Amino acid sequence: MEVARTIAEIRASIAQARAAGRRIGLVPTMGALHVGHTSLIDAATARCDFVVVSIFVNPTQFCPGEDLEKYPRPFERDVALCEQHGVAVVFAPTPEEMYPRDNVTWVTVEKLTEPLCGRSRPGHFRGVTTVCTKLFNIVLPDVAFFGQKDAQQALVIRRMVADLNQPLETVVCPTVREPDGLAVSSRNRYLSEQERRAAPVIFRSLQKCREMIEAGERNADEIRGAMIGVLREVSALKVEYVSLADAESLEESVQLQGQILAAVAAHLGPARLIDNILIDVPDQ
Ligand code: AMP
């Protein structure tokens, strides 16, 4: 397995792979790899025969005061994990390689980036869409793989690819969870033992939502209220949002119908945790 540090190096490997007729898969990550990431890598190796994993803690998607400096960077371990999972090349550029000068060119997706995480993280999605476009232009993947764990990000990227006719397919893989339901995340390591024990309350609130819909409830306020009730079981949890939105437009629903994205963001100690589930609301 190769580790490419520069754009020139990764471009040379990609050119060879292309010339050999390989189908190229890209898994963009910020490193600190876990089973969520390796599920994406495994999906990529199943569908492509040359898999590139990018490891880049992208500064432009962090807001002032966020965890850019302390974001975990266990690089050797990440490289070993990629090798074990059949990755062809790890692309791990420095910030200077990706942003050699003051960046003045941005890719912005409107509307879909405004609600949910967009409200508390101004500029975050602009950083994500810009870095993904740069990675797509550098790696020229046939397929790029994203996780449902970051539902709004996956939707925003799919929309960008469609709107800009970016020549690749996107695949969104299911959220990998711990046995107690907590969505696996690089940021879970910020939690104390006690916070870690309490964190599955977020998934329980999403399950409550699903149960209520299955029992016939369609009023979003009722369901949101019940979800907040579940979340209040953990007094240390500071809820940022509880959203029941149309899964395509991300507009908040009043009466639930069609496909719904139920999503929660909350702070627990030093960690900001997000989770979501997609629910197909049955016709009544
Ligand atoms: P990150 O390194 O946090 O930027 O994540 C890189 C990719 O892995 C994104 O597409 C995430 O949605 C995805 N991902 C992160 N956690 C999980 C998880 N628990 N299950 C599935 N995909 C995940």
Side-chain angles (χ1 to χ4, degrees):
M1 190 188 73
E2 183 192 340
V3 177
R5 289 291 196 170
T6 65
I7 294 167
E9 279 165 22
I10 182 81
R11 283 208 159 124
S13 310
I14 294 290
Q16 275 187 5
R18 272 223 172 277
R22 301 265 186 269
R23 184 171 165 79
I24 297 168
L26 171 66
V27 182
T29 81
M30 297 204 302
L33 302 182
H34 51 61
V35 287
H37 298 114
T38 55
S39 76
L40 266 52
I41 297 172
D42 294 344
T45 53
R47 297 183 57 144
C48 302
D49 41 24
F50 191 91
V51 172
V52 179
V53 172
S54 61
I55 296 181
F56 180 57
V57 184
N58 174 35
T60 65
Q61 71 188 68
F62 285 76
C63 302
E66 289 187 348
D67 54 347
L68 172 62
E69 271 79 38
K70 73 167 192 208
Y71 198 86
R73 291 164 170 87
F75 186 65
E76 297 309 320
R77 190 182 166 275
D78 286 350
V79 168
L81 215 50
C82 286
E83 183 137 41
Q84 282 162 27
H85 284 263
V87 171
V89 188
V90 168
F91 177 46
T94 60
E96 295 71 31
E97 181 72 8
M98 288 297 273
Y99 299 104
R101 57 196 87 79
D102 184 26
N103 204 60
V104 293
T105 308
W106 301 96
V107 180
T108 307
V109 174
E110 296 175 351
K111 288 198 178 122
L112 291 176
T113 54
E114 286 164 16
L116 305 175
C117 295
R119 271 196 224 297
S120 64
R121 306 189 73 191
H124 166 69
F125 288 111
R126 182 185 80 157
V128 169
T129 44
T130 300
V131 82
C132 283
T133 297
K134 286 165 75 71
L135 289 169
F136 296 164
N137 287 339
I138 293 164
V139 176
L140 305 173
D142 296 288
V143 196
F145 296 81
F146 296 91
Q148 178 62 27
K149 158 78 171 36
D150 298 276
Q152 188 175 15
Q153 168 176 287
L155 193 69
V156 164
I157 288 167
R158 288 189 102 142
R159 186 56 186 268
M160 170 185 79
V161 166
D163 283 356
L164 297 182
N165 308 98
Q166 293 179 332
L168 68 146
E169 186 192 334
T170 51
V171 171
V172 181
C173 301
T175 302
V176 178
R177 299 180 180 283
E178 302 285 359
D180 59 10
L182 178 65
V184 179
S185 165
S186 309
R187 288 183 166 109
N188 291 349
R189 70 185 67 191
Y190 298 155
L191 299 170
S192 69
E193 242 173 74
Q194 198 186 359
E195 288 160 352
R196 171 63 192 82
R197 274 198 301 276
V201 75
I202 294 177
F203 184 55
R204 284 207 303 280
S205 75
L206 295 167
Q207 284 175 309
K208 176 79 182 171
C209 170
R210 189 190 293 285
E211 283 162 21
M212 289 179 79
I213 291 173
E214 281 170 2
E217 184 61 72
R218 295 291 179 271
N219 183 291
D221 281 345
E222 289 291 328
I223 299 176
R224 204 177 292 108
M227 291 172 73
I228 290 169
V230 172
L231 293 166
R232 283 213 182 109
E233 288 168 21
V234 175
S235 57
L237 195 81
K238 304 279 172 276
V239 177
E240 186 183 304
Y241 64 72
V242 174
S243 168
L244 297 170
D246 178 85
E248 280 297 307
S249 68
L250 295 186
E251 279 168 23
E252 280 305 306
S253 303
V254 180
Q255 280 292 115
L256 304 188
Q257 56 173 348
Q259 193 178 49
I260 292 295
L261 179 75
V264 174
H267 292 262
L268 188 54
R272 180 178 180 275
L273 304 175
I274 57 171
D275 198 357
N276 70 86
I277 53 173
L278 285 170
I279 303 169
D280 290 309
V281 181
D283 290 334
Q284 276 179 330

